Each structure stands twice: as structure tokens, then as C-alpha cells.
Amino acid sequence: MAVFWYRLFWRECGTHGLTLDQKIDVLVRLSRLSLRCAYWTADEHTIIEDGKTLSELFPELIPAKLCNKHIHLNKLTGLLVYAMHTEIADEIFSLAREGKLTEEQIRKLKT
């Protein structure tokens, strides 16, 4: 049930604070991380990589930084990041299907 609320957050508020290029950068980094570990099982204190938590690896995704309405959410959990990962991927690939990405953006996604 939590994923539903996280997806709702992203659709209502998550896109306010990130540009398309930032979303592409985050998507590439999240995709690489998902190949190395099961980050979606992490809580807000779990060390994921290089001694860092998800909040330290992806500070741009912290809800409090994206939307003043969610100022109380200042840490990331794996499930929240998973929901954001899938929402960002869906948004970017929809734009790609519509031909709204530049060659450079497409190239970055392929790396």
C-alpha cells in the first residue's frame, strides 16, 4: 500500500523540483545502482554503497527538497526510491516515445 502513496506523491509533487536532465541523470544512476544491490529493501538508515544511505546518494530525491508540502519527509527509504525510479522511468520513456528527447539525452540514457 505504501507504494501507492509514494507514486501519488511523485505524480502530485515529485516533478516540481527536478528538470528533465536531472531526472535523466537520476534514472541512469538508479538503474546502475539497481544492478548492484536490492536498494528497495533499505530503510532510511541502511548503508547502501560506499558508506552512504539512499538520502546521501540521491539528495535531490528527498521529498522535503522537492516540495514544501512534504517538508516532514527528509529521508529516503528503498520503497520510496523504488516508486520514484519507476515513475521517472515511465515519464522519460513516454517522452522518448513521443520524440521529445534530444539526441544528447537519448545518448545519456544508453550509457
Side-chain angles (χ1 to χ4, degrees):
M1 189 64 167
V3 171
F4 169 80
W5 294 110
Y6 291 152
R7 289 183 191 283
L8 187 63
F9 157 75
W10 184 259
R11 291 177 184 169
E12 287 184 4
C13 304
T15 59
H16 300 328
L18 298 176
T19 66
L20 179 57
D21 288 330
Q22 288 173 315
K23 291 176 193 176
I24 290 170
D25 178 59
V26 165
L27 179 60
V28 169
R29 290 171 33 225
L30 280 169
S31 296
R32 288 179 184 155
L33 181 63
S34 70
L35 295 173
R36 294 189 300 271
C37 69
Y39 72 81
W40 47 89
T41 62
D43 66 19
E44 61 189 35
H45 305 290
T46 304
I47 301 299
I48 298 295
E49 191 170 73
D50 298 329
K52 296 181 179 179
T53 65
L54 286 170
S55 296
E56 293 166 328
L57 290 170
F58 299 96
E60 64 270 53
L61 293 181
I62 295 173
K65 293 182 179 181
L66 294 171
C67 173
N68 289 334
K69 181 178 170 183
H70 293 91
I71 197 75
H72 59 285
L73 296 172
N74 59 5
K75 300 269 186 195
L76 293 173
T77 64
L79 198 54
L80 174 58
V81 173
Y82 172 78
M84 290 178 167
H85 186 174
T86 57
E87 290 295 316
I88 291 170
D90 184 57
E91 180 181 341
I92 289 173
F93 291 120
S94 290
L95 291 171
R97 281 190 298 276
E98 296 169 9
K100 295 183 178 178
L101 297 181
T102 66
E103 288 297 319
E104 182 180 333
Q105 291 168 329
I106 293 169
R107 190 173 24 260
K108 188 168 187 177
L109 286 168
K110 290 181 178 181
T111 59

